[in-house]
Amino acid sequence: NAGVMQNPRHLVRRRGQEARLRCSPMKGHSHVYWYRQLPEEGLKFMVYLQKENIIDESGMPKERFSAEFPKEGPSILRIQQVVRGDSAAYFCASSPGKETQYFGPGTRLLVL
Amino acid sequence: GESVGLHLPTLSVQEGDNSIINCAYSNSASDYFIWYKQESGKGPQFIIDIRSNMDKRQGQRVTVLLNKTVKHLSLQIAATQPGDSAVYFCAENNAGNMLTFGGGTRLMVKP
């Protein structure tokens, strides 16, 4: 049973470009969460999605950030017009319900 | 509470000793708690969880203790091994399904 998969593992973008981060949840999990982690800090919640629905986006910046979890395919976290402050590790987690969240390996975004 | 980006507190133990990692949580309404282990360059790995109707739960070499009166959580690792070296985070889950993470503790195991 494959775990949560994320790609790319590393992503380099120049300021002003777009970043697209993908997450495939564990088989049978319909709940997806995105978190962001700065060095030496804990993870900070961004958004919680179920298939085709955003349930809670209270941790996501109102501008430039968006997330989706379509009926088919992976969940996507999209960051438009990236700035240096967006550099961080972005983790996706999945769960079958309100239970333990299992994390993927993360995408490390570096904005030059 | 919110992490402010300070260096992580570090616990250094000798191989074979027991380790105790502590965590204070913020929300008295939280009903589910999880300990995660994070190795360098990897995602958080589930270790053990506990619900608020319990005060102790044991796994293989790990024990989690929950004190709701003082909003305190601890993780005990028996016979610590070099492979246990990592950053450990506690996380609380309240009604909204999101996890709120503590600031983390770095465990270093000396051979």
Side-chain angles (χ1 to χ4, degrees), chain A residues 18-21 34 46-47 49 54 57 60-69 75-80:
Chain A
E18 178 180 286
R20 281 190 179 231
L21 288 60
W34 285 93
M46 297 180 72
V47 62
L49 310 102
I54 296 174
E57 56 182 347
M60 199 154 69
K62 295 287 186 287
E63 297 179 354
R64 301 189 299 108
F65 285 72
S66 62
E68 63 177 14
F69 188 17
S75 175
I76 306 284
L77 178 67
R78 182 182 177 206
I79 312 172
Q80 295 178 288

Side-chain angles (χ1 to χ4, degrees), chain A residues 9 31 33 35 37 39-45 48 50 55-56 58-59 89 91 93 95 97-106 108, chain B residues 2-8 31-32 34 36 38 40-44 46 49 51 89 93-103 106:
Chain A
R9 296 291 307 275
H31 300 246
Y33 315 79
Y35 293 80
Q37 185 179 36
E40 302 285 293
E41 293 189 11
L43 282 71
K44 298 287 197 303
F45 169 80
Y48 160 43
Q50 295 182 27
I55 308 300
D56 182 351
S58 59
F91 291 95
S95 70
K98 191 188 175 191
E99 297 174 12
T100 306
Q101 295 178 20
Y102 296 91
F103 284 83
R108 277 139 191 91
Chain B
E2 290 289 321
S3 169
V4 293
L6 300 174
H7 289 297
L8 291 171
D31 59 359
Y32 181 55
I34 310 168
Y36 287 95
Q38 187 175 27
S40 181
K42 297 184 178 179
F46 170 84
D49 57 0
R51 299 196 181 275
F89 293 99
N93 187 333
N94 41 47
N97 267 45
M98 70 180 202
L99 293 176
T100 300
F101 281 77
R106 187 183 310 280

Side-chain angles (χ1 to χ4, degrees), chain B residues 23-45:
Chain B
C23 175
Y25 64 91
S26 55
N27 189 341
S28 55
S30 295
D31 59 359
Y32 181 55
F33 305 88
I34 310 168
W35 278 100
Y36 287 95
K37 171 186 180 183
Q38 187 175 27
E39 296 174 282
S40 181
K42 297 184 178 179
Q45 175 189 354

Side-chain angles (χ1 to χ4, degrees), chain A residues 1-8 21-34 51 68-70 72-77 91-95 102-107:
Chain A
N1 183 15
V4 177
M5 298 175 68
Q6 289 187 249
N7 69 82
L21 288 60
R22 294 175 197 79
C23 169
S24 296
M26 288 178 70
K27 189 176 181 180
H29 289 191
S30 58
H31 300 246
V32 165
Y33 315 79
W34 285 93
K51 281 288 187 183
E68 63 177 14
F69 188 17
E72 301 292 337
S75 175
I76 306 284
L77 178 67
F91 291 95
C92 169
S94 73
S95 70
Y102 296 91
F103 284 83
T107 294

